[in-house]
Amino acid sequence: MDDGEWHALVADAVPVLARIIDTHGRDHLGHIWTVRYGGPPFELLWLGSALGEGDVRPTEAAVAEWVHDRLARRSSTSAPILRRFVEDFGGPGAARVGNAVPQDAVVRDAVVRDAVVRDVVPQDAVVRNTVSGGTASSVVQAASIGEIHFDTAAPHDPAVWIDASAVDPLALGCRHEGPYIRRDRDADLDRERPAGFLLITGEPLAGKTTTAWALLRRLAPGTQVCVPPPGSDLRGLPERIRARDADCVLWLDGLERYLGDPGLDATVLSRLIGMGVLVLATMSDAAYDEHRFGDPAHARVLSRARMVELPLEWSHEELTRLIESGDGRLGTAMIWCDGRAVTEYLAVGPELWEEWQRAKRPANHPHGHLLVRAAVDLARCGLLRPLPLDLLRRAHESYGAEPTGDFDDAVAWAARRRRGVTGLLVEDGGLWRAHGSLVAEATDADGLPPVPDAVWDLALEYGHDAVAAAAEAHFRARAEGGDTGAMYRLARLDPDGDWLRRAADAGHRRRVRRLPPRPPS
């Protein structure tokens, strides 16, 4: 798609998006984007900050800024979704009567709630009206009225319906890629699943949503999954399910967002259970405790649940299945998950990496970015254990960062817990290290700047045999290409080799003698 086509599409889509947000809110737009159209959830990460928070209604200019700033970079995936918005929501939203207008006719327009009525009235004729696409309210019309026919539209169903065998995990909000690793509690879920109210609880990032999605995939083909947006009116849902005449599952991820009138109350739940519908929900432990022992109406709903608690920590059997899966990404997670749950690592890791990369911008937190880079680079040198803060300070300064009070601010920013779980820097007994996901990603990532020589020198000063081996491999490749700086360091690492002679032949004897001796193992 060239720039002209993109700008034309944006011009059509922006008024549509603004109208949806203004009428139904950002959550409804996000629900259509991810669930109905299968759009990537990460496209919506900056939606709130770009368009304002709370009840603020965005201007079309703010929506356009968000589209150009966030979506243009991934126009290949965003453009088809924007086209669908324009096609599905960009029309007049109403049926029109009388497309052909005789020359001797008088045309009158009347608005009936969301419908538009066009009267084509030949002179001295009796008017007959048909209204569709909306709900009839009061209509006032001049001229003679013969008969009026109102076709009342069926109630709008905001939910998305998906076949259980084809449910995309990302569309349901699962932070999941690659093969699903069977959890020990899956057997309990399979025993409880035929119908009724099944609630999966656990700590944040324990994998509740992904485990629930995997249960959907084990249901019989043809089972219909109802995915309503948060805050939906569920009072008419039993009738809509009955009209489908199929096995149905009501998906309520983050159940607390659906509790109460007009959402899921005891009456609606009883009707659904009586119809044989499986209500599949997830809820954090904290949210469950708040609602189970708080609001009496919410407590009545939760008392009907058959609960399955999903532990945050993985069992030995689960870790064995992870290893046997052969998925390199999951294997890496197990190595670098910092003693926390694998699911937690997989959920938080990508967000930590993106935040760290974006922090380098001058308007964000460049000092914090450099501090985290110092910890990551020292780990790339082989210093994987926690390190003194003073060593991180010296490495931080080697990038040209000024030794000012910004360092303390950088530490506070880098150590702040994201999503209540972990920071980019992790404190361990008064020492510090980069979060394992950052080190793992940096080890495999292309395009990262090489570790500066000054940071290698600090690592060698503090390090051990593992650092020396990594340094020798790093500098040997450069020295073979004629890099004299690499020869100096190899002479330090291997005094008995010929690198000292080759460095001397290059005419830098004095600089070689200045190199500090290799530290003891």
Side-chain angles (χ1 to χ4, degrees):
M1 170 177 286
D2 60 33
D3 289 344
E5 293 173 324
W6 170 256
H7 286 288
L9 175 60
V10 170
D12 291 338
V14 163
V16 176
L17 299 176
R19 186 170 68 248
I20 293 172
I21 298 172
D22 185 63
T23 305
H24 301 289
R26 285 187 296 271
D27 286 345
H28 190 69
L29 174 66
H31 181 79
I32 298 172
W33 184 284
T34 57
V35 179
R36 181 179 298 182
Y37 295 161
F42 54 75
E43 300 287 15
L44 302 174
L45 289 177
W46 278 266
L47 181 59
S49 59
L51 305 185
E53 301 294 347
D55 295 328
V56 176
R57 299 304 187 189
T59 63
E60 289 190 9
V63 176
E65 181 179 356
W66 165 65
V67 171
H68 282 298
D69 181 59
R70 184 63 190 168
L71 303 187
R73 286 176 287 168
R74 296 187 175 90
S75 60
S76 60
T77 57
S78 301
I81 301 175
L82 291 179
R83 286 196 188 96
R84 291 197 62 182
F85 272 101
V86 173
E87 292 168 359
D88 293 349
F89 300 98
R96 293 184 180 271
V97 179
N99 293 323
V101 183
Q103 290 184 352
D104 60 348
V106 177
V107 179
R108 299 184 180 91
D109 289 339
V111 178
V112 186
R113 293 289 294 274
D114 296 325
V116 174
V117 185
R118 172 159 290 182
D119 308 324
V120 181
V121 189
Q123 296 290 346
D124 302 323
V126 175
V127 178
R128 291 177 174 82
N129 301 309
T130 299
V131 180
S132 61
T135 303
S137 182
S138 299
V139 180
V140 178
Q141 178 177 306
S144 300
I145 299 177
E147 53 184 285
I148 301 179
H149 302 281
F150 291 104
D151 299 326
T152 303
H156 174 62
D157 184 357
V160 175
W161 294 82
I162 313 172
D163 190 297
S165 62
V167 173
D168 183 345
L170 292 178
L172 296 180
C174 304
R175 302 171 182 275
H176 174 78
E177 298 177 6
Y180 173 72
I181 306 302
R182 184 167 56 85
R183 302 297 299 271
D184 294 341
R185 301 308 303 272
D186 283 357
D188 299 324
L189 290 169
D190 287 336
R191 283 193 296 270
E192 298 284 353
R193 77 182 183 192
F197 182 19
L198 186 54
L199 176 61
I200 303 175
T201 64
E203 293 295 321
L205 306 181
K208 300 182 292 297
T209 305
T210 301
T211 301
W213 161 77
L215 174 59
L216 291 180
R217 298 300 299 268
R218 298 195 296 273
L219 298 177
T223 302
Q224 295 292 298
V225 182
C226 175
V227 186
S232 294
D233 186 341
L234 301 181
R235 291 171 298 184
L237 183 60
E239 285 74 21
R240 295 199 291 273
I241 289 178
R242 185 176 289 110
R244 287 183 170 266
D245 193 25
D247 291 335
C248 291
V249 177
L250 175 58
W251 171 273
L252 301 177
D253 186 35
L255 176 62
E256 64 275 10
R257 301 180 297 169
Y258 299 90
L259 290 175
D261 186 24
L264 186 69
D265 59 19
T267 301
V268 173
L269 179 62
S270 295
R271 295 178 63 193
L272 292 172
I273 293 175
M275 296 168 57
V277 174
L278 171 60
V279 179
L280 180 58
T282 69
M283 205 173 196
S284 70
D285 288 339
Y288 178 83
D289 290 342
E290 176 185 349
H291 292 272
R292 179 66 178 88
F293 308 109
D295 189 304
H298 297 176
R300 283 195 294 274
V301 172
L302 293 176
S303 67
R304 302 286 302 275
R306 293 171 292 158
M307 293 177 54
V308 173
E309 185 173 357
L310 193 67
L312 181 63
E313 300 301 329
W314 283 36
S315 69
H316 174 75
E317 291 75 15
E318 289 171 333
L319 293 176
T320 300
R321 289 193 287 269
L322 186 151
I323 296 171
E324 292 174 348
S325 72
D327 186 290
R329 181 183 58 92
L330 293 175
T332 301
M334 192 176 70
I335 296 171
W336 292 101
C337 66
D338 291 339
R340 307 191 71 88
V342 173
T343 50
E344 183 179 288
Y345 169 93
L346 293 175
V348 175
E351 294 185 8
L352 294 181
W353 178 266
E354 182 168 1
E355 182 178 1
W356 176 46
Q357 292 302 304
R358 291 179 63 83
K360 71 178 69 171
R361 299 180 178 186
N364 289 356
H365 212 299
H367 272 279
H369 171 82
L370 285 180
L371 173 61
V372 176
R373 181 184 169 188
V376 169
D377 281 351
L378 287 168
R380 293 166 73 190
C381 293
L383 289 177
L384 300 178
R385 63 182 184 271
L387 303 171
L389 191 59
D390 184 61
L391 179 61
L392 294 184
R393 182 193 300 271
R394 294 169 62 192
H396 178 249
E397 293 170 359
S398 72
Y399 299 106
E402 297 180 2
T404 66
D406 287 335
F407 181 78
D408 293 334
D409 179 58
V411 173
W413 173 83
R416 177 173 53 82
R417 293 166 70 89
R418 273 69 175 178
R419 300 189 64 183
V421 174
T422 184
L424 285 79
L425 281 187
V426 180
E427 185 177 14
D428 187 351
L431 302 176
W432 297 84
R433 56 182 171 80
H435 188 269
S437 66
L438 300 177
V439 180
E441 184 73 19
T443 302
D444 297 330
D446 296 326
L448 276 186
V451 178
D453 289 351
V455 176
W456 276 107
D457 290 341
L458 287 172
L460 287 166
E461 179 183 327
Y462 188 81
H464 46 64
D465 285 346
V467 178
E472 185 171 3
H474 172 75
F475 288 114
R476 182 178 295 277
R478 288 172 46 187
E480 294 289 357
D483 186 328
T484 56
M487 295 178 190
Y488 304 153
R489 287 165 176 83
L490 284 177
R492 169 193 175 183
L493 293 168
D494 186 12
D496 297 329
D498 65 348
W499 291 110
L500 184 61
R501 177 186 58 77
R502 293 174 64 174
D505 290 344
H508 297 288
R509 296 182 184 85
R510 185 174 302 172
R511 291 185 64 187
V512 169
R513 287 197 298 269
R514 287 179 180 174
L515 286 173
R518 174 179 172 176
S521 299

